[in-house]
Amino acid sequence: NAGVTQTPKFQVLKTGQSMTLQCAQDMNHNSMYWYRQDPGMGLRLIYYSASEGTTDKGEVPNGYNVSRLNKREFSLRLESAAPSQTSVYFCASSELTGPNYGYTFGSGTRLTVV
Amino acid sequence: AQSVTQLDSHVSVSEGTPVLLRCNYSSSYSPSLFWYVQHPNKGLQLLLKYTSAATLVKGINGFEAEFKKSETSFHLTKPSAHMSDAAEYFCVVRRNSGYALNFGKGTSLLVTP
């Protein structure tokens, strides 16, 4: 099925370890996003990529880096994980014009940093 | 800046009674507004979206929302709650910069028998 695919679905890291969360979409969308979800906080934007080759910071970028590898893929990297980065991470992509205007979310990655 | 405020963090209704989840928005421009639902340990599902067409928007599963510019509100309603409606609901506005979405903090809906 067409959509946004995130890997892995679950991950446990030790403090100081690094990892990359992968996201790929097959809808030919130009824009892609990374959010984190914490209880009582809703979803908060970490980074976004309005189009291939561009990335910008969102509300909570500290401790993260991103790469828009190509039009399909947008990865999120934690260089030195901290317990405060324990969260559920969602990737999304969007079609911003026309009858299919809207946003598609991946199923999430549940990350625990111990 | 575009933002939304969900006025209730928890709402409890009895099965078969109406549901009202309240959302106010702040936007300098005509906003794009959405409601998403998240069932426990699940992903996000779009309920409905407003993009400056009809002010009364109908969504899935019997939900609807009315855009009221004079009140800067976009409340979500359903005439009769079902047990399966128990979930977290998010009111969302699209940012004008970068077109990302700004989420409210969520309203947890509890439906009792």
Side-chain angles (χ1 to χ4, degrees):
Chain A
N1 289 338
V4 177
T5 303
Q6 290 184 236
T7 54
K9 295 190 183 303
F10 301 93
Q11 184 71 52
V12 178
L13 288 179
K14 294 182 178 180
T15 298
Q17 286 185 318
S18 63
M19 79 161 295
T20 299
L21 279 64
Q22 306 287 351
C23 175
Q25 52 94 5
D26 58 5
M27 295 167 289
N28 202 35
H29 287 171
N30 286 320
S31 301
M32 298 184 73
Y33 316 86
W34 275 106
Y35 290 87
R36 60 176 289 173
Q37 182 179 24
D38 303 292
M41 302 294 290
L43 276 73
R44 293 179 292 169
L45 182 67
I46 305 171
Y47 271 93
Y48 64 97
S49 172
S51 61
E52 186 179 357
T54 69
T55 60
D56 286 284
K57 296 179 180 179
E59 297 174 70
V60 289
N62 291 345
Y64 305 95
N65 285 300
V66 290
S67 295
R68 183 73 183 268
L69 304 171
N70 48 54
K71 192 171 186 179
R72 290 187 64 249
E73 300 172 285
F74 188 40
S75 63
L76 178 71
R77 182 160 178 84
L78 288 69
E79 291 290 353
S80 179
S84 61
Q85 294 178 305
T86 293
S87 187
V88 181
Y89 291 84
F90 287 97
C91 178
S93 67
S94 66
E95 175 61 54
L96 297 176
T97 60
N100 295 320
Y101 168 79
Y103 296 77
T104 304
F105 285 84
S107 58
T109 296
R110 188 173 295 272
L111 175 68
T112 303
V113 183
V114 297
Chain B
Q2 296 72 42
S3 65
V4 290
T5 301
Q6 293 183 245
L7 300 175
D8 306 290
S9 57
H10 296 84
V11 170
S12 181
V13 300
S14 299
E15 189 176 20
T17 65
V19 175
L20 170 63
L21 304 184
R22 299 182 296 163
C23 174
N24 287 347
Y25 70 89
S26 171
S27 177
S28 303
Y29 304 93
S30 181
S32 290
L33 293 160
F34 308 77
W35 276 98
Y36 282 86
V37 61
Q38 185 179 35
H39 288 90
N41 298 313
K42 298 291 186 183
L44 293 156
Q45 182 181 21
L46 177 67
L47 281 177
L48 48 83
K49 62 185 177 185
Y50 167 77
T51 56
S52 73
T55 56
L56 183 62
V57 183
K58 294 188 182 298
I60 62 171
N61 299 336
F63 284 95
E64 62 181 37
E66 187 172 8
F67 174 75
K68 292 187 175 180
K69 186 175 181 178
S70 61
E71 299 176 11
T72 62
S73 68
F74 190 57
H75 300 335
L76 182 71
T77 61
K78 182 174 181 177
S80 177
H82 191 274
M83 295 297 291
S84 61
D85 294 329
E88 189 86 9
Y89 291 79
F90 294 99
C91 181
V92 184
V93 64
R94 195 189 79 173
R95 295 156 61 121
N96 287 326
S97 172
Y99 306 115
L101 298 176
N102 281 349
F103 282 73
K105 294 186 176 182
T107 298
S108 179
L109 178 64
L110 174 67
V111 182
T112 57

